[in-house]
């Protein structure tokens, strides 16, 4: 995902999550008695992360790790390095992970972490010190059977390698399964980097077929050209769609004939953003939301589709590559306008699914080929999307509500059957 700036004046991720939970409650029957379980994180840790900078000064950064729900297994969720990270956001992201892992029926709960920092302003050595100190501070609540971090915005495989090494040092032996998204030669999985974007494409393809929207010839707009947005873009183009609009933190570009993605990727690698790309014209950022396209993929950060933008959208299908990009009231507008939204908790779940595969491979010390990974991923994503679609039809509700019905039933059934200790 890109590090597109937050829409701060609208952003309240935790309240968005709570609104989504309230909407699903009427569908849960007797399990609704346990719904307060989902409105409170099980554990929230705030840590001070002091490091020695390259100039010898000492700086303090605030870090977080939230475990939202562990009823179905160890926590699972990424670590975000971004200057706007706060407890409210991390709580929401951990809760969405709880829902996401349950929708895919993975044996995990939900967790998330982060540090309020701009990683681009740190040297490699400073970033390593920050990561190792943060890992030490949260080390007592993470572990392959407790809580398994992964990369998110502002973090990558190298950072996961440092986390794994730091945790392993404290344990006295190598523990590859403590994090996922590691370099492949340190126990990472093939296919992990492209997994989230692949999942966005697979779920989009499935739903497009159900609403009679041909992928071939479809016009697609992508917000965010990181791992998620770029992979989804390449897969859509591979299925003969056209990516006509791309937006990130450096600007918005447009080419009616379709953007040359290979050339754009080279430009982004050289310039850290799509702005100034010679193969397309620059347009105003807000014009992205009125683009004449069939599919929009918000694959940046939360809080992007507001009521105002929802009223202007011309797309037929929205694929939530990011977490929480659409506000509940904005989705109401989209529903009224007949625009289908494939919700984040299933649409972008390819990443956590392959993280699960990585964890399984680490536990067994037996690794699969990328072809096997993709085959298993596609199968799980197609089945999850089919389950969500059928649940939506059965309950005459949106795909998001359907995903929450499936997830909440699985989570709250586990909560009920485990009981409350002490009784």
């Amino acid at each position: 995902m890109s590090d597109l700036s937050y829409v701060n004046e609208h952003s309240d991720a935790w309240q968005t999550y709570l609104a989504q939970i309230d909407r699903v409650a009427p569908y849960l029957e007797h399990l609704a008695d346990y719904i307060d379980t989902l409105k409170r994180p099980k554990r929230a840790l705030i840590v001070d992360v002091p490091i020695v900078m390259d100039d010898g000064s000492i700086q303090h950064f605030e870090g977080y790790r939230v475990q939202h729900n562990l009823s179905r297994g160890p926590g699972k969720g990424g670590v975000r390095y971004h200057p706007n990270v706060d407890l409210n956001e991390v709580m929401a992201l951990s809760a969405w992970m709880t829902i996401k892992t349950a929708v895919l029926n993975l044996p995990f709960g939900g967790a998330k972490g982060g540090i309020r920092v701009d990683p681009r302003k740190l040297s490699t050595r400073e970033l390593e010190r920050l990561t190792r100190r943060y890992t030490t501070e949260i080390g007592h609540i993470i572990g392959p059977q407790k809580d398994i971090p992964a990369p998110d915005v502002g973090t990558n495989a190298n950072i996961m390698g440092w986390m794994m090494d730091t945790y392993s040092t404290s344990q006295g032996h190598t523990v590859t399964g403590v994090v996922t998204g590691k370099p492949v030669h340190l126990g990472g999985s093939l296919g992990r980097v492209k997994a989230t974007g692949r999942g966005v494409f697979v779920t989009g393809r499935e739903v497009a077929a159900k609403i009679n929207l041909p992928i071939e010839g479809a016009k697609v707009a992508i917000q965010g050209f990181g791992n998620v947005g770029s992979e989804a873009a390449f897969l859509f183009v591979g299925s003969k769609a056209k990516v006509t609009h791309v937006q990130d933190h450096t600007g918005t570009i447009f080419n009616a004939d379709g953007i040359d993605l290979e050339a754009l990727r080279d430009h982004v690698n050289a310039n850290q953003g799509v702005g100034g790309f010679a193969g397309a014209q620059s347009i105003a950022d807000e014009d992205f939301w009125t683009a004449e396209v069939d599919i929009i993929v918000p694959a940046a950060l939360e809080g992007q589709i507001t009521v105002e933008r929802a009223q202007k959208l011309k797309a037929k299908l929205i694929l939530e590559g990011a977490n929480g990009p659409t506000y509940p009231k904005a989705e109401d507008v989209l529903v009224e306008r007949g625009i289908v939204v494939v919700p984040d908790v299933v649409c972008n779940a390819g990443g956590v699914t392959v993280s699960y595969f990585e964890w399984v491979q680490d536990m067994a010390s037996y690794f699969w080929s990328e072809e096997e990974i993709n085959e298993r991923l596609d199968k799980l994503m197609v089945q999850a999307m089919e389950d969500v679609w059928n649940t939506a039809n059965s309950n005459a509700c949106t795909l998001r509500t359907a995903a929450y019905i499936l997830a909440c039933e699985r989570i709250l059934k586990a909560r009920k059957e485990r009981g409350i200790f002490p009784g």
Side-chain angles (χ1 to χ4, degrees), residues 41-54:
K42 176 179 177 62
R43 184 177 291 115
L45 181 64
I46 303 175
V47 296
D48 176 40
V49 187
I51 64 167
V52 178
M53 309 299 284
D54 289 344

Side-chain angles (χ1 to χ4, degrees), residues 219-220 242-246 252-260 277-283:
K219 296 178 181 178
V220 182
K242 288 197 300 185
V243 174
T244 58
H245 296 70
V246 177
T252 304
I253 59 174
F254 163 70
N255 186 326
D257 296 324
I259 294 169
D260 182 338
F277 176 59
Q281 66 183 87
S282 295
I283 61 175

Side-chain angles (χ1 to χ4, degrees), residues 169-184:
T169 298
S170 73
Q171 301 298 305
H173 61 95
T174 300
V175 186
T176 55
V178 68
V179 296
T180 58
K182 306 178 293 296
V184 171

